[in-house]
Amino acid sequence: MANLRFGAVEEAFKKRPLEVKTPTERPEQFYGKYVFNRARMYKYLPVDVYQKLIDVIDNGSRLDRSIADAVAQGMKKWAEEHGATHYTHWFQPLTEGTAEKHDAFVEHDGKGGMIEEFSGKLLVQQEPDASSFPNGGIRNTFEARGYSAWDPTSPVFIIEDTLCIPTIFISYTGEALDYKAPLLKSLHAVNVAATKVCQYFYQDVKQVHTNLGWEQEYFLIDEDLYFARPDLMLTGRTLMGHDSAKNQQMDDHYFGTIPERVQAFMKDLEIQALELGIPCKTRHNEVAPGQFELAPIFEECNLAVDHNMLLMSLMKKVAHKHSFRVLLHEKPFDGVNGSGKHNNWSLNTDTGILLHAAGKTLNDNLRFVVFIVETLMAVYKHNGLLKASVMSATNDHRLGANEAPPAIISSFLGKQISDLLEHIEKADKENIFSLTGKTGLQMDIPEIPELLIDNTDRNRTSPFAFTGNRFEFRAVGSEANCASAMIVLNTAVAEALERFSERVDALVAKGEDLTSAIIDIIREDIKTCKPIHFDGNGYSDSWKEEAKKRGLDCESSCPKCFDRYLDEDSIKMFESMNVMKRNELEARNEVKWETYTKKIQIEARVMGDLAMNHIIPVATHYQSQLAKNVQNMVNIFGDVEGKQLSERNIKIIREIAERTNIIETGVEELVNARKQANKIESQREKAIAYHDTIAPKMEAIRYQIDKLELVVSDELWTLPKYRELLFIR
Ligand code: ADP
Ligand code: MG
C-alpha cells in the first residue's frame, strides 16, 4: 500500500527556511506603505476635499457625496502608482473571513476603446451579487440585493494589484448582513454614553474612543503533512489522532527559541503586515508545540478589527509561501492547548485620558472607579450574552471543555481593586469624604497607583480580567471575527453608562451634589454587580457550583447559548442603543444555528469517510498479516504450541476485530442520527440535535480509532501522527 504519510514526512524533513530579505528601510519608513493614510490623503486630494474627509473620519460628520469623485480620483491615482489595476469593496459577511469581488478600473470610453476610471459612485456604494451570503432569511432570494457601503474611518489599502475599500454590508431594507455595520453603531453608542459620563469629570471631553488590542494565537503545520490529513483540510482540526508521547508536559515550547522555518515565516508576515499598516509588535512560541502568537499595538476598535481580519488572511498566504499551513481553529489537536484571541479593550477620551486607568487626582480616581464598576455592571447584566458572542462550533471545544477560559463569564480584578471596591461599598458614606485643609476634598479611599499593571497578577483562568488599564476578554475564538464580541461588550457598556448617568442626573435634579450622587450610585452598583467578580480559580469544580448559586449563566451547549441574543433584555439593549433591531437579531441567530449544524455535519461526514476508508482497511490489513503469522506458527509448531507462542498476536487480532466492529456500528449510528436530525425544520432544534446526539457519537468513534493507532503497525498507518504534525517544522 502506497503510504502518503511517509511521503509527506520525507518531504517535510527536507524543507529549509526560506530566505526573507530584511528591508533596507526601517519599519517607520515602510509602515503603511500600501495604505492610503492621512499623509497620502493630504498629498493626493485637494485641500478642501481633504478637510471634509478628515471631518467625516474624526467627527463622524455625514459624508458629502460631492467630494466622493475627488476622493476616488486621488485614491485611484495613488493606487495606480503602486501598480493596482483593480478595486474591490472588502467586507465582513456573517461567514468567517472577508469577502471581495474584484473589478478592473476599466470602462468604455464611448469611442470603441477603454479608459481607466474609478468614480465616487463606485467608491461609495456597490451592489455585489450577494444572494449566497448568509442572511438568516432577511432577504428572500428574489430580493437578493445587498449593498456594500464605504467606511471612510478605515483607510483603503492595496493587496497585490487590487485597491481594497473597507465597507459595511447591508440589505436593501437596511438590515446589517455583516459585522462591521453593528460594530460601528456600537462604537457610536459607547462614544455617546461615555462622553456624557466623562463630562461629569472633565468638561472638555467631546468624544470617547474604544481601543482594541488583540493577541492572535495560531498553529503552524507543515503543508505536506497537512495535505495528508483530510480531516485538517476539510474541517480545520484533527478528528482523530492519539496523543504524542511528548507534547507540552515539559513547558519547553512556551517562549522558547523560535524554530528557523517559523522565524522566517514570522519575519515575512510581519514585514507584509507592517506594510499594510498593522502595527505588529510581539511574537512568541505559545504553550503547545507548533503553537505561536502574534500581537500588534492596540488601535481604535474598528481599525483593529479590520486589521485582525486582514492579518488572518495574510497569515494564510504567507504560510503557504513558506510551505506551512496556518491553523486558526480553536482546537486543532486534542490533549494540547487550543488557540484563542485575547481582546484587550479600553476606552479613552479625545483629550487622551485612558478611562480604565487610575489617575493622579481625586477626580481621576472617582472617574476610574465609575468606569470599572459600570463595565462590571455591563458584563454582569449580559454575561450570558457576552458568552454567546464568542461561542461557535469550533470555540465550543475550548469553552465547553476544561480549557482556558471556562464557559462561565466572570471578572478578575486583583487584590487592590477588590479592596478598593469593598471599601467604597462598606465605608460609612460620610467617611468616604472628608474636607481637609490644603488638599480640599479628600476621599478616604486607599491610594490607587497610576500603574497597576504589575499589581494585577495574571490570573490566566479568568475570561474577563482587569489588567491594569484595560479589560482583557480572553474567551474570543482564534478564528472569530473580534467584532462579534466587541459589538456586545460596547453595547452593554453603553447601556450601563447610560443607566448610570440617568440615575445620577435624577439625584442631582433632586438637589443632591454631583459627586455625592455619583458615589451613591456607584455604591449601589458595586453591590449589584458583585456576583460577576471572581478572583479565584475559574477551572475548579467548586466555582461551577458557586457560579450557579450566584445566578451566572452556566449553559455550556453552544446552540443554547445563542438563545441569549433573543432574550428580551438583550433585544431591549440592542434596540435602545440603536445597534440592532429584533429582526436582525433573529436573522443572525438563524445563521448562527445553521453554521453550527453545518460544521458538525461536515465533521461527521469526514469522520465516517476516514473511519471506513482509512482506519478500518488499515487495521484489517494489519490484522490479516498477524493472522497469517499465527497460521505460520501453527504450521511450524503445531496447534497448541503455535497458538501459545502467538498469544500476543491473537490478542491484537481480537482487539482489532472488536474495535473495528464498534467503529463500524458507530459510523452507522452516526449516519442515522444525521438523517434524523436533518429532518428537523427549526434551525435551533436541528443545531441542538447535532450538539446533543451527533457530536458525542463522533467522540466515541474517535476513542476507538485512537486506541487502534496504538496497536496497528506504524508502517501501515496512513494518517500523519500527532508527533509528526506537532514537531516537524
Ligand atoms: P500580555 O497579556 O500577553 O502580557 P501585552 O501586555 O503585550 O500582552 O498586551 C497585549 C495587547 O494589549 C497588546 O495589543 C497591547 O497593545 C494591548 N494593550 C495595552 N494597553 C492597552 C489598553 N489600554 N487598551 C487596549 N489594549 C491595550
Ligand atoms: Mg494577554
Side-chain angles (χ1 to χ4, degrees):
M1 205 187 300
N3 194 325
L4 182 57
R5 172 177 156 227
F6 288 116
V9 169
E10 209 176 306
E11 284 307 310
F13 268 134
K14 282 191 214 150
K15 287 174 195 158
R16 292 289 162 261
L18 277 193
E19 201 198 328
V20 179
K21 282 215 182 74
T22 307
T24 47
E25 296 165 294
R26 300 300 304 160
E28 68 261 29
Q29 287 163 307
F30 65 83
Y31 175 66
K33 183 172 169 185
Y34 296 118
V35 181
F36 195 62
N37 58 19
R38 284 185 190 217
R40 299 206 172 95
M41 288 177 196
Y42 189 74
K43 183 172 163 200
Y44 287 87
L45 302 180
V47 178
D48 57 323
V49 172
Y50 170 81
Q51 275 158 354
K52 280 187 183 162
L53 183 57
I54 293 297
D55 190 40
V56 172
I57 297 170
D58 285 349
N59 306 318
S61 319
R62 263 202 121 60
L63 181 75
D64 173 357
R65 287 265 177 141
S66 69
I67 66 165
D69 274 326
V71 176
Q73 284 281 312
M75 282 178 180
K76 175 169 156 282
K77 184 160 189 296
W78 168 73
E80 278 171 359
E81 285 172 16
H82 283 282
T85 51
H86 287 64
Y87 63 91
T88 182
H89 274 197
W90 182 81
F91 57 99
Q92 301 167 20
L94 298 172
T95 51
E96 282 141 20
T98 53
E100 51 200 88
K101 178 182 133 229
H102 298 191
D103 285 301
F105 285 126
V106 289
E107 297 288 343
H108 284 298
D109 68 354
K111 300 174 206 133
M114 286 286 197
I115 48 162
E116 287 209 290
E117 203 172 81
F118 182 49
S119 67
K121 203 170 128 255
L122 291 173
L123 164 68
V124 171
Q125 185 176 315
Q126 286 196 22
E127 200 179 315
D129 174 22
S131 46
S132 3
F133 288 110
N135 61 72
I138 275 188
R139 292 175 300 128
N140 307 325
T141 23
F142 57 85
E143 182 49 282
R145 279 194 282 178
Y147 287 109
S148 53
W150 177 36
D151 165 20
T153 61
S154 180
V156 303
F157 52 91
I158 296 170
I159 292 194
E160 284 163 17
D161 62 0
T162 304
L163 175 70
C164 301
I165 303 153
T167 54
I168 58 168
F169 182 46
I170 53 175
S171 77
Y172 183 58
T173 38
E175 288 90 359
L177 298 171
D178 70 344
Y179 287 105
K180 192 189 259 286
L183 176 70
L184 289 172
K185 289 181 178 175
S186 75
L187 291 167
H188 179 70
V190 137
N191 175 11
V192 172
T195 302
K196 174 146 199 321
V197 173
C198 277
Q199 284 168 352
Y200 293 145
F201 305 94
Y202 318 101
Q203 255 122 44
D204 56 341
V205 170
K206 291 195 188 63
Q207 283 193 54
V208 172
H209 304 291
T210 304
N211 303 313
L212 167 62
W214 42 263
E215 302 162 56
Q216 176 75 52
E217 293 177 337
Y218 60 95
F219 278 86
L220 273 186
I221 302 298
D222 180 84
E223 198 164 46
D224 279 290
L225 295 171
Y226 171 87
F227 285 133
R229 287 287 309 218
D231 49 353
L232 269 183
M233 279 174 62
L234 299 177
T235 73
R237 74 177 179 111
T238 53
L239 298 174
M240 53 197 65
H242 198 276
D243 265 359
S244 165
K246 173 177 191 284
N247 49 45
Q248 63 187 40
Q249 310 94 320
M250 310 290 289
D251 285 331
D252 49 357
H253 185 66
Y254 192 53
F255 284 16
T257 315
I258 301 173
E260 275 178 80
R261 257 179 85 200
V262 176
Q263 178 92 28
F265 156 82
M266 285 178 169
K267 183 171 168 188
D268 208 352
L269 174 66
E270 280 173 12
I271 294 169
Q272 296 193 41
L274 286 168
E275 287 176 344
L276 284 168
I278 306 171
C280 298
K281 183 165 170 73
T282 313
R283 60 182 180 203
H284 60 77
N285 288 358
E286 258 303 324
V287 172
Q291 193 187 27
F292 306 91
E293 179 181 304
L294 182 151
I297 304 169
F298 71 89
E299 300 177 279
E300 187 282 320
C301 185
N302 175 40
L303 190 59
V305 167
D306 283 359
H307 279 168
N308 183 247
M309 298 308 288
L310 194 52
L311 180 93
M312 289 195 287
S313 69
L314 190 62
M315 278 173 118
K316 292 178 189 159
K317 211 167 71 184
V318 178
H320 176 61
K321 181 174 154 197
H322 290 254
S323 195
F324 278 126
R325 277 289 161 150
V326 61
L327 306 182
L328 294 173
H329 192 290
E330 283 78 8
K331 190 72 181 173
F333 303 100
D334 253 18
V336 295
N337 277 23
S339 303
K341 258 194 275 259
H342 292 178
N343 280 9
N344 293 269
W345 172 93
S346 68
L347 300 174
N348 79 281
T349 66
D350 55 346
T351 55
I353 300 164
L354 209 43
L355 295 172
H356 292 91
K360 290 194 179 70
T361 64
L362 168 67
N363 191 48
D364 289 338
N365 285 339
L366 191 55
R367 173 268 304 159
F368 167 70
V369 171
V370 166
F371 277 91
I372 296 286
V373 172
E374 292 313 315
T375 303
L376 293 177
M377 282 293 279
V379 175
Y380 172 54
K381 182 162 179 214
H382 297 288
N383 69 88
L385 178 62
L386 208 52
K387 179 166 69 187
S389 76
V390 297
M391 267 288 187
S392 66
T394 51
N395 206 20
D396 207 10
H397 294 280
R398 291 167 72 227
L399 299 180
N402 241 344
E403 203 183 322
I408 300 165
I409 301 293
S410 66
S411 186
F412 169 88
L413 294 177
K415 184 159 177 359
Q416 257 174 320
I417 306 298
S418 307
D419 288 352
L420 172 64
L421 297 190
E422 190 172 310
H423 182 79
I424 298 177
E425 181 200 341
K426 301 249 165 78
D428 183 344
K429 189 181 163 201
E430 304 308 313
N431 283 347
I432 295 186
F433 290 102
S434 54
L435 281 169
T436 60
K438 267 195 200 137
T439 42
L441 189 65
Q442 270 279 298
M443 195 163 34
D444 170 32
I445 55 178
E447 282 276 288
I448 314 171
E450 265 183 87
L451 262 185
L452 282 159
I453 296 177
D454 296 329
N455 297 313
T456 55
D457 99 65
R458 309 206 151 227
N459 184 328
R460 290 286 168 196
T461 72
S462 179
F464 197 84
F466 179 67
T467 50
N469 57 14
R470 60 189 184 268
F471 280 93
E472 185 169 339
F473 190 18
R474 301 198 179 114
V476 183
S478 50
E479 71 183 359
N481 186 324
C482 295
S484 178
M486 293 295 100
I487 292 165
V488 171
L489 181 59
N490 293 336
T491 311
V493 170
E495 183 196 50
L497 290 170
E498 198 174 284
R499 293 294 96 82
F500 172 79
S501 49
E502 278 165 13
R503 287 173 296 155
V504 169
D505 290 353
L507 291 182
V508 172
K510 279 192 206 145
E512 196 170 330
D513 159 76
L514 176 63
T515 308
S516 164
I518 290 174
I519 300 261
D520 275 348
I521 302 298
I522 279 304
R523 279 156 60 96
E524 189 179 308
D525 287 354
I526 290 174
K527 282 197 194 80
T528 309
C529 71
K530 208 178 265 180
I532 200 72
H533 173 203
F534 177 63
D535 278 8
N537 176 5
Y539 300 154
S540 66
D541 288 330
S542 58
W543 167 235
K544 283 188 196 145
E545 286 305 306
E546 167 72 18
K548 213 176 288 165
K549 278 192 214 132
R550 293 189 188 187
L552 298 179
D553 189 297
C554 297
E555 181 59 64
S556 63
S557 152
C558 171
K560 286 185 187 158
C561 284
F562 294 154
D563 290 346
R564 298 288 75 74
Y565 273 101
L566 301 179
D567 287 346
E568 283 309 313
D569 266 354
S570 308
I571 295 176
K572 204 169 125 207
M573 172 192 94
F574 282 120
E575 289 197 330
S576 68
M577 293 296 113
N578 235 330
V579 173
M580 277 187 280
K581 295 192 295 277
R582 183 187 293 267
N583 67 333
E584 290 174 287
L585 292 161
E586 284 168 352
R588 294 166 89 92
N589 257 30
E590 292 296 300
V591 175
K592 286 183 213 296
W593 283 314
E594 196 180 339
T595 308
Y596 180 88
T597 299
K598 282 184 184 159
K599 289 245 168 186
I600 309 287
Q601 197 171 52
I602 293 170
E603 287 190 349
R605 284 191 185 147
V606 175
M607 176 67 124
D609 287 354
L610 283 180
M612 301 308 287
N613 303 330
H614 279 246
I615 308 302
I616 293 186
V618 166
T620 324
H621 184 73
Y622 182 53
Q623 191 187 37
S624 325
Q625 282 185 357
L626 296 176
K628 213 180 279 167
N629 179 279
V630 174
Q631 192 57 56
N632 291 346
M633 295 294 277
V634 169
N635 291 348
I636 297 169
F637 296 102
D639 196 48
V640 176
E641 198 184 354
K643 280 186 182 156
Q644 249 169 19
L645 290 170
S646 303
E647 206 177 325
R648 185 185 155 271
N649 284 351
I650 292 172
K651 197 172 140 243
I652 297 176
I653 292 171
R654 176 166 293 127
E655 180 175 345
I656 291 177
E658 285 166 0
R659 294 200 190 280
T660 48
N661 278 338
I662 302 177
I663 291 173
E664 202 160 348
T665 326
V667 170
E668 246 168 61
E669 282 174 15
L670 190 64
V671 172
N672 288 334
R674 248 169 42 220
K675 280 190 187 148
Q676 283 300 317
N678 291 346
K679 286 188 199 138
I680 303 173
E681 280 282 317
S682 142
Q683 292 293 359
R684 176 181 183 272
E685 300 309 316
K686 197 192 292 188
I688 291 174
Y690 267 85
H691 176 274
D692 291 354
T693 62
I694 289 152
K697 285 198 166 52
M698 288 173 40
E699 278 311 299
I701 298 172
R702 175 185 185 142
Y703 175 80
Q704 300 297 336
I705 294 178
D706 291 355
K707 291 285 179 204
L708 280 178
E709 188 185 318
L710 287 182
V711 296
V712 171
S713 161
D714 187 57
E715 222 174 56
L716 297 177
W717 200 256
T718 54
L719 298 173
K721 296 188 171 181
Y722 266 29
R723 60 168 187 266
E724 292 151 354
L725 293 168
L726 289 170
F727 287 98
I728 301 179
R729 52 185 174 263

